[in-house]
Amino acid sequence: MSDKREKKRKRIVIACGGTAGHIFPGLTLAEELLKRYKDDLNISFITSENLLAKRLLEESGYDFYTLPVKGIERRSFAGNVDFIKSLFTGAVKSAGIVFREKPDCFVAFGSYVSGPPFVAASLLRVPTIIHEQNITMGRANRLMRNFATKVALSFPSSEERKRKNMVVTGNPIRRSAAKISAREKALNLLEMDISKFTILVIGGSQGSQRINLVLLDVFRGMDELLRRRIQVIHISGDNDYDMVRDAYEKIGGVSYGVYSFFKDMGTAYSAADVTISRAGASSIFELCLHKMPSILIPYPFAGGHQADNAKYLTDRNAAIMIEEKNLSAESLKAAILRFLEDSALRYLMKKRLANLSMREAAEKLADEVGLLAGLS
């Protein structure tokens, strides 16, 4: 009879909010950890009750728990009462989850979903690491940073780097978006014309109706000869898919592919000459990786985070930003034509973006988690 005992698997719990900007970095970290420590590791997730979050985690095959935690409603007293109630409910449920999982390391990717399980993990003396995707730290992470074992930052220019428990890792990029292909190959896969100026439109994980409508107005007011020089890969979101597709059909001239959601983002980036995008942290790092000139339109209701992210690129002359309050068919058309007519501008932006890329973010973050969990 063998005296050898089966090696106990390490356990890691990853908590992240319900948006793709939280979920994708968490999934990418999990993939990297399992690639290294597959036989020695169990990973589970805690997220919100958001349908997108549950769908993405179900598709990925990880065990996960959901918490009913809500964000603060700045202008609603009733909303804040619901927020406090959800925190209490989340705290009770989180204590049960953390006690059941007994993790060797707890990883928080921000949002109020991370708060209650972070507190539970800290009280049980579990090593904790929080990851901040944006250049300006969110409220939940600001509350947790003084108690975390380690704080991982995405942007090297963040003020938080002054803290002793801080490390700059970059923002883990989902594998599907990290894939880089030759432009001609990518366009052939999308059955698009290699001779046309190609615009990729991304409105965030749910799409952006404002961007959708303004861009369609741009094409309506554009000379037909100019429209025929352009093709669009337009990720509209579920709600606007039919409207956007029908509008392109009626406008005529411009070639297009409309998608409610696009999984193979690496191919989409590789095919494009310029991207029109929100300025979530994941988008910023994907644009840098692909050396993609962009027109950034920050979402104005994200606590200013997206505007700060966009400014990180515009301050380095690596993107053009249009604030949503200044967004119009005229301003967007002017930015598109600037890129279309100035290949030297695109070339210089590509060089600047190459210097800002942080390709090994998932590896660096996995190094930190591995150390805290006793895997390294």
Side-chain angles (χ1 to χ4, degrees):
M1 183 176 177
S2 174
D3 292 330
K4 292 184 179 180
R5 296 182 180 179
E6 184 179 350
K7 185 178 181 181
K8 181 183 176 183
R9 283 176 172 247
K10 297 288 186 177
R11 305 186 73 87
I12 291 174
V13 173
I14 299 173
C16 40
T19 66
H22 285 124
I23 296 291
F24 282 132
L27 287 173
T28 305
L29 170 64
E31 289 173 14
E32 177 62 29
L33 288 167
L34 287 175
K35 186 172 75 173
R36 299 183 185 189
Y37 311 113
K38 185 176 182 180
D39 296 331
D40 302 316
L41 185 63
N42 285 325
I43 296 176
S44 57
F45 280 79
I46 299 174
T47 188
S48 73
E49 296 179 333
N50 180 286
L51 292 176
L52 174 65
K54 291 192 284 189
R55 177 170 65 82
L56 290 173
L57 288 169
E58 285 170 355
E59 289 176 354
S60 300
Y62 292 100
D63 293 331
F64 67 94
Y65 305 88
T66 61
L67 296 180
V69 179
K70 300 179 180 179
I72 289 177
E73 295 285 345
R74 295 181 182 179
R75 300 179 182 178
S76 169
F77 176 77
N80 285 327
V81 171
D82 289 341
F83 165 70
I84 293 169
K85 288 180 179 177
S86 73
L87 275 183
F88 177 77
T89 304
V92 173
K93 189 172 181 180
S94 295
I97 293 169
V98 175
F99 185 78
R100 186 182 308 118
E101 290 288 331
K102 294 182 173 58
D104 296 281
C105 181
F106 175 82
V107 187
F109 277 89
S111 92
Y112 286 106
V113 171
S114 298
F118 175 87
V119 172
S122 297
L123 290 174
L124 290 173
R125 299 187 181 279
V126 175
T128 57
I129 179 167
I130 63 174
H131 181 272
E132 176 55 54
Q133 293 89 64
N134 297 292
I135 196 167
T136 303
M137 186 165 283
R139 284 175 294 195
N141 278 349
R142 286 203 302 271
L143 292 172
M144 296 186 288
R145 64 186 174 186
N146 293 321
F147 306 98
T149 311
K150 186 76 74 170
V151 178
L153 303 173
S154 294
F155 290 87
S157 62
S158 173
E159 286 297 312
E160 294 298 319
R161 65 186 306 180
K162 298 175 183 177
R163 293 174 176 267
K164 291 182 179 179
N165 64 339
M166 183 284 310
V167 62
V168 176
T169 61
N171 193 34
I173 296 174
R174 49 186 159 159
R175 304 300 184 196
S176 63
K179 182 181 67 177
I180 299 175
S181 304
R183 180 176 182 272
E184 184 173 342
K185 179 181 178 182
L187 287 167
N188 284 334
L189 284 171
L190 295 170
E191 299 182 345
M192 303 189 89
D193 191 332
I194 63 172
S195 67
K196 290 191 175 185
F197 185 77
T198 307
I199 301 172
L200 170 63
V201 184
I202 312 169
S205 58
Q206 304 298 317
S208 167
Q209 187 173 76
R210 182 73 192 284
I211 293 175
N212 293 340
L213 292 173
V214 173
L215 181 61
L216 291 171
D217 280 343
V218 169
F219 289 124
R220 287 189 186 99
M222 189 179 284
D223 179 87
E224 185 176 353
L225 290 176
L226 185 56
R227 287 203 303 265
R228 292 189 180 279
R229 295 174 57 192
I230 296 172
Q231 60 190 358
V232 185
I233 305 164
H234 195 138
I235 305 171
S236 64
D238 288 331
N239 293 336
D240 286 353
Y241 173 77
D242 290 332
M243 179 273 291
V244 171
R245 183 194 57 194
D246 293 345
Y248 278 117
E249 185 68 25
K250 291 176 182 177
I251 291 169
V254 60
S255 301
Y256 64 91
V258 178
Y259 307 88
S260 59
F261 185 80
F262 200 85
K263 288 187 176 181
D264 188 8
M265 285 302 300
T267 295
Y269 282 121
S270 297
D273 294 294
V274 66
T275 294
I276 299 171
S277 176
R278 289 300 195 187
S282 291
S283 295
I284 296 295
F285 281 87
E286 288 169 9
L287 292 168
C288 290
L289 177 66
H290 286 272
K291 299 180 286 187
M292 177 57 56
S294 59
I295 301 166
L296 298 175
I297 305 168
Y299 181 63
F301 305 110
H305 298 160
Q306 290 205 7
D308 292 338
N309 293 345
K311 199 168 182 293
Y312 175 78
L313 294 189
T314 57
D315 283 351
R316 292 157 179 79
N317 296 315
I320 292 174
M321 177 171 65
I322 304 175
E323 293 188 59
E324 187 153 316
K325 65 182 179 181
N326 299 322
L327 179 63
S328 65
E330 292 74 22
S331 62
L332 186 54
K333 180 181 178 181
I336 291 171
L337 292 182
R338 187 178 173 192
F339 279 120
L340 174 63
E341 296 167 354
D342 193 344
S343 59
L345 173 66
R346 301 199 305 270
Y347 173 77
L348 289 172
M349 278 195 178
K350 283 178 177 289
K351 290 189 68 174
R352 294 166 189 146
L353 287 161
N355 293 329
L356 300 174
S357 176
M358 299 180 73
R359 173 178 279 275
E360 297 180 350
E363 290 82 354
K364 290 180 179 179
L365 186 56
D367 288 344
E368 300 297 331
V369 174
L371 285 171
L372 290 180
L375 286 160
S376 300

